[in-house]
Amino acid sequence: MAKQFPTKRAIAGAVLAGALLSAAILSASAQALDPGEAIQTRKAVMTSIGAHMNGVKAGMAAKNGKLVADHARALAALAPVLPHLFPKGSGRTAGETRARPDIWENWDDFVATTKALREEAVELAEVAALGDMALVGAQFGMMAQAGCGACHRRFRTRK
C-alpha cells in the first residue's frame, strides 16, 4: 500500500492548530486545568505531536525541506506546554491516562525530560531551516530518543 502524504492544506492546518493550541494551553495553564480537562488536552497535544513527527518523516522521505521545517516548527511550538498538561491529580484516578505516577513522584526529572524535548525540537526546527536532510535525520533521531523516547520509557505505561 502506498503511503499517503498530507496535503499542503492539511499541513498548514496542522501547523496553525498546533500554534493555536499551544497559545490556548499556555494561557489556560495560568489558571491551571482541571485534572479531567488536563488529560483530554494532553491527549490532543500528544496526538498533534505524533502527527507532526509523522509529517517530519514524510517530508524527509519526499526530500521536501519546507514540509519538514513546517512540522519541525510546530513541534518546537508544542513542546513547551507539556509540563503544564500534567497538574497534580491528573493521573489515573482522574480519568483514562497512560501517565505513570512517577511523573508527580519525580517531578523535577519529568520537567527535565520535557525540557530536553523542547531543546531538541528547537534544534530540529533550526536544522530543518537549513534544508540538509542528513542533518535533519540525525537531529530528528536525537529528539526522538532524548525527548519523546526518554519520557515515554519512564513516564508512560504501555498499551
Side-chain angles (χ1 to χ4, degrees), residues 33-54:
L33 293 171
D34 145 292
E37 291 172 340
I39 290 171
Q40 295 309 309
T41 304
R42 73 179 173 237
K43 284 180 180 182
V45 170
M46 293 299 184
T47 297
S48 184
I49 287 173
H52 289 297
M53 296 284 285
N54 288 331

Side-chain angles (χ1 to χ4, degrees), residues 3 6 14 18 21 41-59 71-72 74-76 78-79 82 117 124 140 143-144 148 152 156:
K3 279 196 169 186
L21 185 58
T41 304
R42 73 179 173 237
K43 284 180 180 182
V45 170
M46 293 299 184
T47 297
S48 184
I49 287 173
H52 289 297
M53 296 284 285
N54 288 331
V56 170
K57 288 188 233 177
H71 284 289
L75 288 166
L78 287 169
L82 291 176
L117 171 63
L124 177 64
F140 183 78
M143 184 189 71
C148 304
H152 288 184
R156 182 181 77 162

